[in-house]
Each structure stands twice: as C-alpha cells, then as structure tokens.
Amino acid sequence: MRDDRFCNSNCPFTRAIGTIGNKWKPIIINVMGTRTMRFGQLDAIVPHISRKVLTEQLKELEEDGLLERLAYKELPPRVEYRLSEKGLAFLPILEHIKEWNLKYEVATIPKATDYKYAG
Amino acid sequence: MRDDRFCNSNCPFTRAIGTIGNKWKPIIINVMGTRTMRFGQLDAIVPHISRKVLTEQLKELEEDGLLERLAYKELPPRVEYRLSEKGLAFLPILEHIKEWNLKYEVATIPKATDYKYAG
DNA sequence: TATTCTGGTTACCAATGGGTAACTACAAAT
DNA sequence: ATTTGTAGTTACCCATTGGTAACCAGAATA
C-alpha cells in the first residue's frame, strides 16, 4: 500500500505522499499521539481496521521510521508501539488538518430522500 | 474512493481523512496550487494518473468544495479547474508535509541486489 | 484437561481500484 | 470526405486491497 512510483519520485512531497498517503496511516498516527500503545489497544481503538491491515500498516510505519516497536519476550507476547521523533513531528500537521476541516467543512444538508416520512 | 465510514465519523479529523485521505487528491491539489488549469494539462502533469481516475478525483474534489469547475460551452469543450478558498487553505498543509519529509526522510540505502554488476 | 491470553501469520474469498481502448459531440482545418 | 482536438463516459478486465476465520506458541488459570 505504499506506492513505489511515488516513493521513487524526485519530488519530496510526492515521496511523502507515497509513504503516508493513505487513509490508515494518518488515522493510526493520530490515535497514538504521544502514547505508548499495545497492539490490542490499537486494534480496539482504530475504527474499522482489521488486524491484518493494522499489522501491515504498523510494519510499514516502522520501516519508514515513523514509529518504534518494542517486543518483550514474554508469554503471552507483549508488544508496544510509540511514535518516533519523526512520527511525533507529524502530529502538528494532523492538527492542522483537523482545524482546516472544522473551518471549511460544509454541514451536510440531508436530502429529502433521507427522510422516510417527509412531513 | 471516499470512505463513507470515515466521512460519517463524529471526529472532524477522521472526516477529513475520509474525504482527502488518499494519494491522488493531495497530489492534484499540490499540482494545481494557485493556477487555473485545464483537464488536459492536469492529465499531462499529474504523474501516473489515468484520465478515468483523474475525472473521478476532480469530481469528488468539486463535490467536497475544494475546487471550482468552469465549463465553457464551446466545441471542442473547454473546462477549467481552480482551487476554491477551502482548497487554497489546504496548500500550507501540503507545504508542511514537504518540509517534514525533507527534514526526516532517511536517504535510501541501495541494496546490493540493486546493482546488476556489483564490483 | 481444557481454556484463556497476546500478537501475530496464513489461506481463502469478495470487493474495490485502476488501466486500456473505444466511443461521444461538433466545429474547424486539411 | 477525413482528420484533429477536448473532455469526458463506458465497458471490460486484471491486479490489488482488505475482510474473515482458523491457526500458532506456551505459560497461567480453572
């Protein structure tokens, strides 16, 4: 789900989009914030994600240096994730996106067909 | 390619990701910048995109209020696109992403297998 | 002895993404 | 009469994404 064509671009912006330009990664980074979280927690909190996809995304985020993974050799296993410096530096950008959305998002006007019994 | 589950979230950030959280839209917005552009121009400049996908993305961006579409009733047809106020307000965020990438991106270390004739 | 707990991995399947090529309209140019 | 040019739309098809469910280790618990 990385896009290699983008990741190999000579434009830094395009490369950035090639690595974090999907819906899951910003959501995961936003959920983590400054917290240290375990796999099961993320699975429970990130909306609509399956474990398979969560695993993939976490692996790529680690490979791209956005988060750190700490595996404890215990049984049952315990793994903790937390954002790296690079990942933490991305948080303000997500905050800007939130503010941008709040400022400009148009309130959805329900269509007539949304009412089962229009008065 | 909007994600309705995200668009209907009660979290403004999640909604934002639901609408602009894919790889094509940030790329398109970045390419347009403050320019007014025609369909054919975008098709030529946006890397790796097909006309079909470009059409879809432009339509969604217009529906979400990020850009304005001006169709001239001529033959052959002429259509111009430009970012709306909401779209323009997104540009600084893309600029931050670019700076973030420049600052933190790790230089790719070519693997040995990348060389056909390793010396 | 069977169950639980965690963080995955794997196989299988359905849904989606996205590419290509053909087609449209109509005027102007060749 | 045919080609060219624009901005799409449509049909068709393949590749990728992503979901579900089963399975794993191995200690602790019932």
Side-chain angles (χ1 to χ4, degrees):
Chain A
M1 56 238 23
R2 273 199 222 94
D3 190 316
D4 287 337
R5 301 170 306 182
F6 285 12
C7 291
N8 295 328
S9 164
N10 53 5
C11 165
F13 174 72
T14 303
R15 287 199 303 275
I17 295 301
T19 53
I20 50 89
N22 71 19
K23 63 185 173 217
W24 294 118
K25 287 174 186 169
I27 295 281
I28 292 172
I29 295 168
N30 182 58
V31 160
M32 293 192 67
T34 56
R35 292 184 282 183
T36 293
M37 295 186 74
R38 298 182 58 178
F39 181 83
Q41 276 183 288
L42 287 165
D43 185 33
I45 295 179
V46 176
H48 306 297
I49 203 167
S50 71
R51 299 213 310 213
K52 177 187 172 186
V53 173
L54 180 56
T55 302
E56 290 168 357
Q57 299 297 313
L58 290 173
K59 189 183 293 178
E60 289 189 3
L61 285 171
E62 191 198 356
E63 286 173 0
D64 292 331
L66 282 148
L67 60 77
E68 288 155 13
R69 179 180 188 275
L70 291 167
Y72 298 86
K73 296 199 184 311
E74 302 173 356
L75 273 163
R78 182 159 63 101
V79 180
E80 291 183 345
Y81 295 93
R82 66 171 177 217
L83 294 182
S84 66
E85 191 195 335
K86 178 178 180 179
L88 291 169
F90 200 68
L91 288 176
I93 294 173
L94 301 185
E95 201 57 37
H96 288 321
I97 293 177
K98 186 189 293 179
E99 286 162 17
W100 169 81
N101 192 69
L102 280 172
K103 181 168 182 186
Y104 289 102
E105 186 179 41
V106 188
T108 309
I109 299 162
K111 289 166 290 191
T113 50
D114 288 346
Y115 299 100
K116 280 195 174 168
Y117 304 100
Chain B
M1 56 226 25
R2 273 199 223 93
D3 190 317
D4 287 337
R5 300 169 307 182
F6 285 13
C7 292
N8 296 327
S9 164
N10 54 6
C11 164
F13 173 72
T14 303
R15 288 199 301 276
I17 295 301
T19 54
I20 49 90
N22 70 19
K23 64 185 169 215
W24 295 117
K25 287 174 185 168
I27 294 281
I28 292 172
I29 295 169
N30 182 57
V31 160
M32 295 191 65
T34 57
R35 292 185 282 184
T36 293
M37 295 185 75
R38 298 183 58 180
F39 182 83
Q41 276 182 288
L42 287 166
D43 186 32
I45 295 178
V46 176
H48 306 297
I49 203 167
S50 71
R51 300 218 309 237
K52 177 187 171 187
V53 172
L54 179 57
T55 302
E56 290 168 356
Q57 300 296 313
L58 290 172
K59 189 184 292 178
E60 289 188 3
L61 284 170
E62 192 199 356
E63 288 172 359
D64 292 332
L66 282 149
L67 60 78
E68 289 155 11
R69 181 180 187 275
L70 290 167
Y72 298 87
K73 298 202 181 310
E74 304 172 354
L75 272 163
R78 182 160 62 101
V79 181
E80 292 181 347
Y81 296 92
R82 66 171 176 218
L83 293 182
S84 66
E85 190 195 336
K86 178 177 180 179
L88 291 169
F90 199 68
L91 288 176
I93 293 173
L94 301 184
E95 202 56 37
H96 287 321
I97 292 177
K98 186 188 295 179
E99 288 162 16
W100 169 81
N101 193 68
L102 279 172
K103 182 166 181 187
Y104 290 101
E105 187 180 40
V106 188
T108 308
I109 299 164
K111 288 166 290 190
T113 52
D114 288 346
Y115 299 100
K116 278 192 174 170
Y117 304 101

